[in-house]
Structure formats: C-alpha cells, structure tokens
Amino acid sequence: MSPLPSHDDVRAAAARLAGRVVRTPMLRHPVLDALTGGTVLVKPEPLQRTGSFKFRGATNAVLRLAEDRRAGGVVTHSSGNHGQALASAAASEGVRALIAMPGDAPAIKVESTRRWGAEITFFDRLNTDREALAKRLAEERGAALIPPFDHPDVIAGQGTAGLELVEDAAEAGLRMDAMVVCTGGGGLVAGCALAVEGASPGTEVIAAEPEGWDDTARSLAAGERLAADGKGSTFCDALLSIRPGEITFALNRPRLAGGVAVTVEEVLAAMRFAFDHLKLVVEPGGAVALAAVLAGRVPARGRTLGVVISGGNVDPAVFARALV
C-alpha cells in the first residue's frame, strides 16, 4: 500500500491547485435551515470545472507526475466524473489519457470525457474487474495509473474541498459540528477527514451513501473492509463502488464518525430541493449528503453542518425524474 497522505498533503495540494480549480462558494439558505432546524453550510462542487469535485484530485495527481512518467500518458477506470476530470487535467498538461468507462455510463459524462480529447474503452459494469482492466491497460501502454479514489495524490486533492469549507465557515464566524460527505470509494470523504483533522479537529465527518451501496458504513461498523452486495439501485451511478479502497479505508476507519444511507426517493427530493432553492443542478450521487440531512439521517437541529454536494453531471432524462 502507498504511504498514507496527511493534512499537510491536503494543504500542499491547496497551494498547488490555487488558480487551477474553482474555489466554489459556501452557500446557505434560510429554507434549508428552517427545514432542518440547524445551520447548514453547502459546498457546491457542481460549480467546479468538469462539474464535480473530481477535478481537484485528478489535477493534483497529474501535476505530481514526474516528467518521465508523463510520456506514456495516464489511464483510469471511471463511471464518468473522474474520467472527464482526468481527461481535462491531462489535456491541460499535454498528457494523453485513456479512460475505461462502463457501457451504461451517462451520456453526458461520456461526451464530456471525449470533449477533452481522451480515448475511451467501454466495459460491462457488472461483469468486469475494472481495477484489473485499468492496471492491464496502463501496463500495456507504459502509462501512469491514476485510480478514481485509492491514490494519495487524488485523496489530497479532493480534501481541498473540505479545507475550503472549513476556512469559509471560520470566516463567517462558524464552526461545523459535522461535515456530511457523499461517499463511493471513499476518496472525497477521506480527503475531507484529513482537512478537518488539522483545520477543525472538533468537527465530525460522516459518510453518506446510497442504500444498498453503503459499503463504507458497513466497513466502519465491522472494523474491516466489506463489500456491498451490488444489488441496490444504480440510480446514484457515481457512487457504485463495491468496497472501500485500501488507502481510503485506512484513512477513514480512525477518522470518520460513521456512515448513513439514503433511499432513491430521498435523493430525488434532495435534487429537487437543490434545484428549487439553491439553483443547482445536482446529479443523483452528488445529492446523497444533502439527502441525508434533509431526511434527518444526520440530525441538524441546533447544530452547524457542512454538506458537500459532490457533482452535477446528470442526463436530462434522469434529472427530469426529480422535477415531476
């Protein structure tokens, strides 16, 4: 296993990414506070370049590549958000990118990945070991493998979203009791946990996952990496990792306060709320943390909560389900 990143690595990533990523704003809304009984601080990563937080980690990882590693290009596997983020980050540095994507990935994510000039190879989501596929492709091409979450530089880059939220809260005279973070493989929540550890150590960090794909919550409860059964709805396509990463779980096990799971109906309600009140287009996976707070899975009354909305790359037909 690679060396584990630290809070200092998140700080270094923030300095490295300054001017390259969007410092997304901290949002508040009186209706959200009234509904939850608390003070809710929203980090809207749909406003990030490529439409999700993934651009942070992908850019940090590409910038950290030694010059001699760039010649072979980069390879990853992704349902879409990391793929398009890595494609964009690689293009900005003149590095070739090959992205392995599931055949049922949302069209908007496939099109965006192609737009950045990346080569795409498709695989069967249910019957392919995506990690083995990406490793083989990287070895064949002599490329650097940059996985979606289980990579120190990716994790450190993702943590800059949490660091910014802590800083913006402090500037507003607030300290978060807890930060709720959308979780798939665990890279974003691990990075946020590292950010909080050094910048706001009294703040709990909670993983929010789709029902049936709550492998992080189950693993935290068991004290070991467990796999989801893979039988839950695929509606939150960005968060369908079967098990936590080796690196991410090593970081999350001692740092997270736990995990919660939300239903498809709760996700749809959160997507509609974000559209109506925050004026944000949020993809299903990106709405999971907000859904957890709106549904009361994470108590907000009398508390100050941070909520990371992780992405907004949603096909129109899927988004329309939230608006009916």
Side-chain angles (χ1 to χ4, degrees), residues 3-4 8 14 30 39 43 55 62 88 102 115 152 169 202 257 264 266:
L4 298 181
D8 288 342
T39 299
K43 185 66 169 172
F55 185 68
V62 169
S88 177
R115 190 178 304 121
V264 169
E266 289 164 347

Side-chain angles (χ1 to χ4, degrees), residues 123-206:
F123 63 86
D124 182 338
R125 182 192 294 274
L126 298 179
N127 297 304
T128 302
D129 183 334
R130 61 185 69 191
E131 295 177 3
L133 171 63
K135 182 178 180 181
R136 176 175 62 79
L137 292 171
E139 290 173 347
E140 290 174 355
R141 294 178 173 231
L145 178 62
I146 302 180
F149 50 85
D150 219 25
H151 188 290
D153 295 328
V154 170
I155 293 167
Q158 317 303 32
T160 62
L163 184 62
E164 289 173 7
L165 186 54
V166 169
E167 292 172 345
D168 290 347
E171 189 173 338
L174 299 168
R175 188 191 69 80
M176 288 175 283
D177 295 294
M179 183 184 296
V180 190
V181 184
C182 302
T183 303
L188 175 60
V189 73
C192 288
L194 290 175
V196 162
E197 182 174 64
S200 184
T203 299
E204 295 181 338
V205 179
I206 298 168

